[in-house]
Amino acid sequence: MKRLPIGILGSGKGSNCRAILERIRSGDLAAETRLVVSDVLDAPILDMAREFGVANAYLPPGRFRTRLEPEIEKQLLQMLRGAGVELVVLAGFMRVLHEPMLKAFPRRIINIHPSLLPKFPGLEAWKQALVAGETVTGCTVHYIDQRIDHGQILAQKEVRILPNDTAESLHARIQVLEHELYPAVIAEFCERYNENQQVGGWPDK
């Protein structure tokens, strides 16, 4: 089985990145991480990439808080293309992507979010769920579009909110499921990638 070349983008600790890299190293996930990129110079996700022997790079984010400057986004695209990436995986990447990334990777940029979207997009979704008095929340893997935590949903897992839950305990249980769900979704892309290789590439190419 040919390994799917992926690129991982993150801004922080990268716990989902670690879950993916561990599955790849164990042989449970038929992917190959070609590049890890962060918009934060000292982000732990870059140290994690080095720990696993994965190529990594810092991408200066520019002057905007929630998005990349157009020229910087073009630079990111060049980095990913240069590494031969076929699937872009967001793991706590705190920037909204626009053109040219969405055009270059149609239906091949995915994200994981700690709520049952479309409920509670944005930051600290587990806290939003607690404040709202929800009894169930969870995590969602979805395609990226030009809106925050929006795009076609690919998979979800539910987490029951317990009466004595704190923000920390709830987030920890959500993360356990994230670390199962994200590699499982990527595994489906790996299967599709291999199927499409037999007929000349991805359907969007």
Side-chain angles (χ1 to χ4, degrees), residues 78-91:
Q78 291 171 355
M79 293 166 64
L80 294 169
R81 278 181 167 165
V85 167
E86 291 283 351
L87 177 70
V88 180
V89 177
L90 274 55

Side-chain angles (χ1 to χ4, degrees), residues 86-198:
E86 291 283 351
L87 177 70
V88 180
V89 177
L90 274 55
F93 190 61
M94 304 305 289
R95 305 275 169 172
V96 179
L97 297 176
H98 300 91
E99 299 287 357
M101 282 288 295
L102 297 177
K103 185 177 180 180
F105 293 97
R107 296 173 67 81
R108 286 186 285 121
I109 307 177
I110 59 175
N111 182 51
I112 192 162
H113 181 73
S115 80
L116 297 176
L117 292 174
K119 283 189 172 183
F120 311 121
L123 297 174
E124 298 184 325
W126 59 94
K127 290 185 180 180
Q128 296 183 53
L130 280 176
V131 170
E134 296 287 309
T135 58
V136 177
T137 186
C139 54
T140 303
V141 179
H142 62 99
Y143 284 121
I144 285 295
D145 62 18
Q146 296 196 41
R147 295 168 61 183
I148 294 174
D149 299 324
H150 190 264
Q152 180 184 335
I153 291 172
L154 295 171
Q156 294 182 315
K157 274 187 174 290
E158 292 187 352
V159 176
R160 299 208 69 80
I161 299 177
L162 305 178
N164 61 343
D165 259 331
T166 63
E168 291 75 18
S169 65
L170 177 58
H171 188 210
R173 291 207 313 284
I174 292 172
Q175 283 192 312
V176 169
L177 289 189
E178 286 181 350
H179 300 163
E180 297 173 359
L181 184 62
Y182 218 3
V185 171
I186 294 170
E188 294 177 4
F189 277 91
C190 292
E191 291 180 7
R192 285 172 47 198
Y193 176 70
N194 274 273
E195 290 170 0
N196 294 328
Q197 288 301 299
Q198 299 175 19

